[in-house]
Every structure is written in C-alpha cells, then in structure tokens.
Amino acid sequence: MEKIKMTTPLVEMDGDEMTRVIWKMIKDELLLPFVDLKTEYYDLGLPERERTKDKVTFDSAYANQKYGVAVKCATITPNKQRVEEYNLTQMWKSPNGTIRAILDGTVFRAPILIDSIRPAVRNWKKPITIARHAYGDVYKATEYRVPGEGSAELVFKDKNGNEVFHETIYDFECPGVLQGQYNKDSSIRSFAHSCFNYAIQTKQDLWFSTKDTISKQYDQTFKLIFQEIYENDYKAKFEELGITYFYTLIDDAVARVIRSEGGYIWACKNYDGDVMSDMVSTAFGSLAMMTSVLVSPNGQYEYEAAHGTVTRHYYRYLKGEETSTNPMATIYAWSGALRKRGELDKLDSLVDFANKLEEACIDTLNDGIMTKDLVGLVTEGTKAQAVNTITFIKEIRARLEKKLA
Ligand code: NAP
Ligand code: MG
C-alpha cells in the first residue's frame, strides 16, 4: 500500500513518562506504516527542557504559530520533588502554560463517547465540549486576610496617577477576608474569537454563561464583548451553518446542561470552566477518554490528551511490569491534528485516514477489547476484556488495516 502523503509539517511535541512510551507505540503501530509522516519534532521531555533551558518549549510554540497545527504529548510540570528527581537547575514552568500564553489560546475539552459507557447523566448522548477562559479572575487575584476592624476600599488611578474611582468595599467590624480580581478586554476578546471560530469549525452551537445579573460591571463586560463580537463578526456565518449562539446565566446554564442531550460547546469563565470541566468529564466516564485542543483566536491548533503523564503506571513500566494505560486520548490528539492538517492542506486522504483511525479505535472498544480503566465503567452485560496497552494498540491496527485495504 502506498503511504498517505503530507505537504505541510505537523508540529510534534514529545513529552514525558508513560505518555512518551505510548507516543512511540502510536507512531510505530498506527501512523508510520500508513502515513508518510512529515513532522517538525520538538522534544518537550523534561531532560531536553533542562538542557535547552526551556528554549525548546518556546521554539515549539513559535513553530505552532508558523505551521498552524501541533500535536502534543503530556509533559511533566516540575514541582519540588521533580526538581530533585530530574536534577533540574530551575523549576521550569508548565509547557502548556507557556504555549497557551504564546498562542493566546483557549482550551476546548471534549469526551470520546462509546455506546457501552453511559454517562452518569442519562440523557447525555453527544459530547459536551467545555471551553475555559484560562486567564485572570480568581487565579490572578490579590487576597488579604483581614485581621480585624478596618476599612477596605477599591481604588483606580489612571496612568497619570489621578484617582478616577474610589469606593468603600466594606467597613469591617471584625476579622474577615478580602480579594481583588481583574480581567482584560483583550483577553476576553481572544477568548470570544477562539470560541466562535471553534463553533464554526466543529459546526456546534455555542453557549456562554456568566453571572451578569449580580456582577453588573465585571461579568456584564464578558457578556457584552461576546455579544458585540458575535454580531459584528460571526452572526452571518452562524446563520449560514444553522448553528446558534446562546447566552444565559450560569445557574440557568447548569440546569439546561443537565437536561440537554449534549452536542454543543459551553464557554465558561475561568473558575466555572475549572469546576465544570471536572464535573462534565467525570460524568462522561474517564479522564483517559478526554481530548483537549488549544485554539488560538487566529486559528492555530494544538491537540493533546487532557490527562497527564500517568506517572504511577510509568514507575511500574520501569520495573518491567506490563501496564494497561489507555492511549485513546493520545491517539485522538494525533487524529485530530492530522485531520486538521488535512483540512487546511486539502488532503482528503489524510482526513480520511484520521477518520478511519478513530473508527478503528471505537470498533475495538465496541468489540469489548479495552484497557483496564474502562472495564469497570462499561454497562452490565457488555463483554469486556482488559488488555495491556500494546495489545490494545495492535488490535486497533488490525482493524485500521482492514479499513484502509
Ligand atoms: P495523570 O497523569 O492524569 O494521572 C492520574 C491518574 O489518572 C493515573 O494515576 C491513573 O489512575 C489515571 N489515568 C490518567 N490517564 C490515564 C490513562 N491514559 N490510562 C489509564 N489511567 C489514566 O495525573 P497526575 O498523576 O496528577 O500527573 C502526572 C504528571 O502529569 C505530573 O507531573 C503533571 O505535571 C503532569 N500533567 C501534565 C498534563 C499535560 O501535559 N497536559 C496534564 C496534567 C498533568 P490509576 O493510577 O488509578 O490507574
Ligand atoms: Mg479542575
């Protein structure tokens, strides 16, 4: 069989631990035999980040900007223990944080659904994609533990030092707590563009929710910016595609989400997105089945799994034990990136390959062959056999070969 050709390179960001091991298995078994893979390779594994003083992470993000599409393996975000384990000269920052800051993007997370794993919410039939605005609010807040009686004020001075706003927050008569949050129009705008673009790309409705009735300046600003950008830049395209933009209060959104059958993007402010994405992914089944894509406001994409490097499995792997780590989300990172590359370069065969790769994965699971983490989640009466990672991947390969023949 002739291998499928690519024209533009895909930016490949390798990573750490168990996912690095799986990364190679996926390439060897599911990609290289079928695709004349053209990638620009960046090793974001921690030793290489240390060796290059993290330059490799920055370079990979610039390459992502240049070529438009990247696929990323999970990477270690160093903490104190990792600094010792890897003998690091610095506690290098989270690569995801660095890449997100450079691309100014929004992260969209969506579950992979199979018939035999029913979401905890009975009526959910299609994926719910959560878009989290990963900037500002409580994550960049200034906090103070108020020790006792005293007064708290909110003050804003313009760039010349003139006080243009001054209001009492509260006159404390006892100890309490205090917090100052901010966000920026530019960041909210980027968030909105990423969300509207991604809704168009995936032909799904977009929901957005805040608490603007209570937060009449802060949350209201989010609502108004989204509305303005929608009207000016996206309304016509949405109407043409038959998709809708729907704004509602966060508490109303939560109620509607639970009653819905899924199949839309739910854009959330930073904290709401943090909380709701964990709720939605747990209700859909498993973190190992969560995909994630970073979308920049000007249409650059970085695909990855939502989970980490699965350290516990890696330590067992190092001892020579077999592991049954689920490669689904990492395979979908590759299929997502290859499909997008194919769409941008008008390579139907590459798009077709990405679709067939995903079908082969789903068929394998529907045949009851799965990793250990999923066996406990399938509905009673489903035949389910736990296999190790490489066996699972080889089973996918057998089905993929048939589809491509
Ligand atoms: P994790 O790697 O997501 O794993 C947590 C646990 O979830 C695992 O021990 C495993 O449970 C289960 N799990 C996750 N993915 C799985 C899969 N594909 N197949 C089967 N089980 C899976 O999170 P972590 O242990 O908190 O973090 C490990 C490292 O990953 C950290 O160094 C962190 O910095 C990094 N991290 C990176 C990213 C990223 O690059 N995007 C994201 C998150 C974390 P059992 O052990 O019970 O089987
Ligand atoms: Mg969270």
Side-chain angles (χ1 to χ4, degrees), residues 4 26 34 62 83 85 98 109 119 123 130 174 188 230 262 269 273-274 285 294 296 303 321 323 364 381 395:
I4 295 154
I26 293 171
F34 311 104
Y62 300 138
V83 170
E85 185 183 350
T98 301
R109 274 181 163 207
N123 37 294
I130 300 250
C174 66
I188 302 167
Y230 174 66
K269 285 182 61 200
D274 185 352
L294 175 72
S296 84
Y303 291 83
E321 292 171 33
T323 73
T364 308
E395 290 284 343

Side-chain angles (χ1 to χ4, degrees), residues 132 274-275 277-278:
R132 172 180 171 190
D274 185 352
V275 176
S277 68
D278 281 1

Side-chain angles (χ1 to χ4, degrees), residues 13-17 19-20 23 41-47 49 72-76 309:
M13 304 166 172
D14 207 344
D16 289 298
E17 300 194 315
T19 39
R20 186 181 181 97
W23 193 259
Y41 180 85
Y42 293 87
D43 184 359
L44 301 197
L46 194 46
R49 278 182 274 152
K72 181 180 170 292
C73 181
T75 46
I76 292 169
T309 59

Side-chain angles (χ1 to χ4, degrees), residues 8-9 35 119 124 148 177 206 247 286 326 328 342 359 390 392:
T8 317
V35 182
W124 286 357
V177 284
L206 177 67
Y247 175 85
S286 158
N326 191 336
M328 283 289 289
E359 285 166 23
I390 190 66
F392 180 65

Side-chain angles (χ1 to χ4, degrees), residues 90-153:
Q90 260 191 60
M91 202 185 287
W92 305 109
K93 286 198 179 134
S94 148
N96 286 55
T98 301
I99 297 164
R100 196 164 58 214
I102 291 172
L103 293 188
D104 189 22
T106 296
V107 173
F108 296 80
R109 274 181 163 207
I112 303 161
L113 300 193
I114 57 168
D115 292 342
S116 57
I117 299 178
R118 299 253 174 80
V121 179
R122 260 180 324 208
N123 37 294
W124 286 357
K125 296 196 173 63
K126 298 178 203 159
I128 295 168
T129 302
I130 300 250
R132 172 180 171 190
H133 180 219
Y135 182 82
D137 301 354
V138 69
Y139 303 85
K140 292 271 183 195
T142 304
E143 298 196 328
Y144 181 60
R145 171 79 175 109
V146 175
E149 226 172 293
S151 137
E153 296 171 338

Side-chain angles (χ1 to χ4, degrees), residues 203-218:
K203 297 187 183 58
Q204 296 184 87
D205 291 345
L206 177 67
W207 296 19
F208 181 45
S209 52
T210 74
K211 193 73 183 175
D212 66 286
T213 47
I214 299 298
S215 172
K216 291 192 171 66
Q217 296 294 336
Y218 202 113

